[in-house]
Every structure is written in structure tokens, then in C-alpha cells.
Amino acid sequence: MSKYQPFGPFAIPTNGSLVDKHKFAQFWTDIEKQSPGLSGAVGCYIFAIAAGKGAKPWYVGKTEKSNFKGETWSPHKLYIYSDALNSRKRGTPLLY
């Protein structure tokens, strides 16, 4: 039986207004310490930007064939994240 539960938010590292892909390995190492097995899991994820009193969702995705680690930092997703960050100018990118 599958088990679904929410995890996060996890702050996505940035370098200016871009996602810092050089910190990819450390990002997932930190998540694995908090939630063992999560990087290899599949399911739904949300990219959001926190600013002020809450977080605004920008993209919702689902992994089926790939896991969270492989899917959420793919070139296409990095483009989506960077585009959202550039449109907001401020805020902390988050992954749920």
C-alpha cells in the first residue's frame, strides 16, 4: 500500500535570482538527513516562493518514472524555477 504525506518546505539554494545547481548534492544530502528515502521517492511536488506572510505555489509536478532527486532539478525544472524567481524579484524558493 502506498503512503502519502507532505514534506517540506525545503529552501532551494540560489545564486542571485537563479537556482544554484552547484549545491544540488548538498541540498539532497540535507533532505535525506531529515527525511530518509525522500530523494528516491515518487509522488507530487510543489515549487513555491515564500515572501511576506506565506508562500505562493508556482509549479506543481508529479514524478512517476523518475524520483524526486532526478525530476526536480532537471534542466526544464531549473528553467521554470528561474523564470518564477525573475518574475518575483524577491522571496525564498521552496520545494514541498
Side-chain angles (χ1 to χ4, degrees):
M1 182 161 105
S2 297
K3 180 180 176 183
Y4 297 95
Q5 70 183 79
F7 293 90
F10 303 107
I12 297 173
T14 57
N15 184 0
S17 63
L18 299 174
V19 173
D20 191 344
K21 62 184 178 180
H22 300 292
K23 295 185 179 174
F24 171 76
Q26 187 61 50
F27 175 80
W28 284 108
T29 297
D30 293 344
I31 288 176
E32 281 297 310
K33 288 178 186 173
Q34 296 174 39
S35 303
L38 187 58
S39 66
V42 296
C44 297
Y45 60 95
I46 301 169
F47 169 69
I49 298 177
K53 295 182 180 180
K56 181 176 184 175
W58 279 91
Y59 182 82
V60 176
K62 179 175 77 169
T63 65
E64 292 179 294
K65 296 177 183 174
S66 183
N67 55 35
F68 288 126
K69 185 176 181 178
E71 176 78 14
T72 57
W73 287 58
S74 67
H76 174 68
K77 301 308 180 300
L78 292 175
Y79 174 79
I80 290 171
Y81 300 165
S82 295
D83 188 49
L85 290 171
N86 284 327
S87 70
R88 286 292 299 240
K89 304 295 182 203
R90 294 189 316 177
T92 302
L94 302 171
L95 179 67
Y96 292 86

